Structure formats: C-alpha cells, structure tokens
Amino acid sequence: GQQLNQSPQSMFIQEGEDVSMNCTSSSIFNTWLWYKQEPGEGPVLLIALYKAGELTSNGRLTAQFGITRKDSFLNISASIPSDVGIYFCAGLPNTNAGKSTFGDGTTLTVKP
Amino acid sequence: EPEVTQTPSHQVTQMGQEVILRCVPISNHLYFYWYRQILGQKVEFLVSFYNNEISEKSEIFDDQFSVERPDGSNFTLKIRSTKLEDSAMYFCASSETTLSTGFYGYTFGSGTRLTVV
C-alpha cells in the first residue's frame, strides 16, 4: 500500500517559535489533508489542499501541496500552548476520497 | 457545529465475542467511513460506505468486519470473534462529497476505545 513519511516524529519548542513539519510519499496524491488530534479525541481537520502548488492558510497555520504531488508541509507560526497535540497529514489518491493514507504523526509540545 | 457522534466511548469485551460500534454521521453527509488507531500509532483506513454499500475497503477490513446502515441515521461497525489485536480506537467519519464532486475533508467522531481482554 501507499506510505507516507511524516517528519519530524516529535518537536519540543518554546512558545512563540515557528514550527514546520512535512510529509513525503513515493506515490502521487490528489488531495492532502492536515489534521490535529488531541488526547481522547478524533482528528480535527485543519487544512485541505486540492491542487499541486496550492498554498492555503488557516489563521497561524499555512500548508502547501507540493508541485510533484508527492509532498506537503504544514507551518505553524508564533506557537501557543494550545497548539500541543499530534499533527497528521493524510493523502488521498485520485480514485476515491475514502481510502486515505495517514502519516505517522508529529507530536508537538509547546513550553510556555 | 454539526458533529459525528459515536457510542459507546469505551467498550471492553472478552476475546471471541462480537461487538457493534455505533455512529451517527452528520445528517446531510452521504459518505461514511471507519478508521482504526492502535494506541500510539497512526490512523488507518478500514472502509468507506456510500449509497448503502461498501465503496472501498482496506486489507484490514476482512471477513471479521462488517458495516451496516440499519436506518436513516446510524452507521455501525460489527467486529466478530474479537481478538486481542483488535484493541484500538475506532473512529467513524463522514463527508459531504467525494473527490468527483468536491471534497471538503472528513469530520471525525471522538472515537470508541475498544479493549479486548
């Protein structure tokens, strides 16, 4: 099956710092999604990307769909303590919106 | 804001027993999904469901699993003859459209933690 490599696996940063994480794949994806998951909760959609090269922002979050369709990154600017959680990328192939492949997640810890 | 509701939040079952996990998707959504997340691991796709039938399933979704939409609001995942390795969080999700008509991401429920003992 398709594999997504998400990095870094974890990050420990100071409040106010910027954060960057990315996902790469050997396969092409038609859509990239970025989710945040907090303990005991389901993933919550942050940003959806639909076109190669697309750059989309959601508040302090910015994500880009790589032009090769094989990668995506998520940036968080001026981090705050409530940014703590696990961030997952997910890629969807051309044919079906359901069969998404998730990355292993990036665990973000923000120190006040 | 509309949400996907899952019950129960936690289920403990004996190995070999059957369990049914329940979900109420968002009312105007037409596509439904089940995902699994083993503790500390990534989210894994199990199955997608549209128009009262399975549209796609993963290798994990074998004959031990089945899904059903018994009425206009519920969407269930049945796991027969549970094994220890079935212990995981099971997330239901729904979406309004698929890629062919426009897709805006899945809305996930809060999950059911299944513990097989």
Side-chain angles (χ1 to χ4, degrees):
Chain A
Q2 293 170 313
Q3 297 284 331
L4 280 185
N5 297 310
Q6 187 170 349
S7 64
Q9 189 174 28
S10 60
M11 302 183 76
F12 296 83
I13 62 168
Q14 207 68 36
E15 182 177 1
E17 290 183 1
D18 296 344
V19 171
S20 184
M21 59 191 79
N22 69 84
C23 278
T24 59
S25 171
S26 57
S27 307
I28 288 173
F29 287 111
N30 193 55
T31 300
W32 284 92
L33 306 173
W34 283 94
Y35 282 90
K36 179 187 177 187
Q37 186 178 28
E38 297 185 19
E41 298 293 327
V44 174
L45 182 66
L46 299 173
I47 292 179
L49 302 160
Y50 304 107
K51 292 193 299 187
E54 179 181 353
L55 184 72
T56 298
S57 293
N58 178 8
R60 293 178 295 105
L61 278 61
T62 302
Q64 184 157 30
F65 191 147
I67 58 173
T68 65
R69 294 182 174 268
K70 294 182 179 181
D71 63 315
S72 176
F73 72 75
L74 174 71
N75 286 344
I76 305 173
S77 63
S79 57
I80 59 178
S82 61
D83 289 333
V84 164
I86 304 176
Y87 291 80
F88 289 100
C89 62
L92 280 73
N94 288 322
T95 56
N96 186 298
K99 195 170 185 178
S100 53
T101 301
F102 276 71
D104 290 332
T106 294
T107 301
L108 179 64
T109 303
V110 180
K111 292 178 281 189
Chain B
E1 188 169 325
E3 57 182 31
V4 174
T5 305
Q6 288 187 244
T7 55
S9 57
H10 191 187
Q11 173 130 19
V12 181
T13 188
Q14 293 264 337
M15 193 167 54
Q17 296 296 304
E18 174 181 287
V19 295
I20 297 177
L21 310 183
R22 303 180 191 280
C23 169
V24 179
I26 293 174
S27 60
N28 66 333
H29 285 187
L30 301 177
Y31 300 85
F32 315 120
Y33 314 89
W34 283 100
Y35 287 80
R36 179 181 81 175
Q37 186 178 32
I38 295 171
L39 185 64
Q41 299 186 23
K42 65 183 176 185
V43 177
E44 300 174 290
F45 171 80
L46 293 179
V47 65
S48 59
F49 190 88
Y50 169 70
N51 201 25
N52 283 320
E53 60 182 23
I54 291 173
S55 50
E56 197 153 3
K57 59 184 180 179
S58 71
E59 309 78 42
I60 303 168
F61 194 89
D62 58 21
D63 292 342
Q64 186 192 4
F65 296 88
S66 61
V67 291
E68 192 177 40
R69 187 153 165 81
D71 53 43
S73 61
N74 289 285
F75 179 51
T76 62
L77 173 69
K78 182 188 291 185
I79 309 175
R80 288 177 282 274
S81 191
T82 50
K83 302 175 286 210
L84 294 176
E85 54 265 38
D86 293 328
S87 296
M89 283 289 282
Y90 287 82
F91 291 107
C92 174
S94 67
S95 67
E96 193 170 355
T97 57
T98 61
L99 284 172
S100 60
T101 55
F103 176 70
Y104 306 102
Y106 319 105
T107 301
F108 281 84
S110 296
T112 293
R113 179 172 298 284
L114 176 65
T115 302
V116 182
V117 297

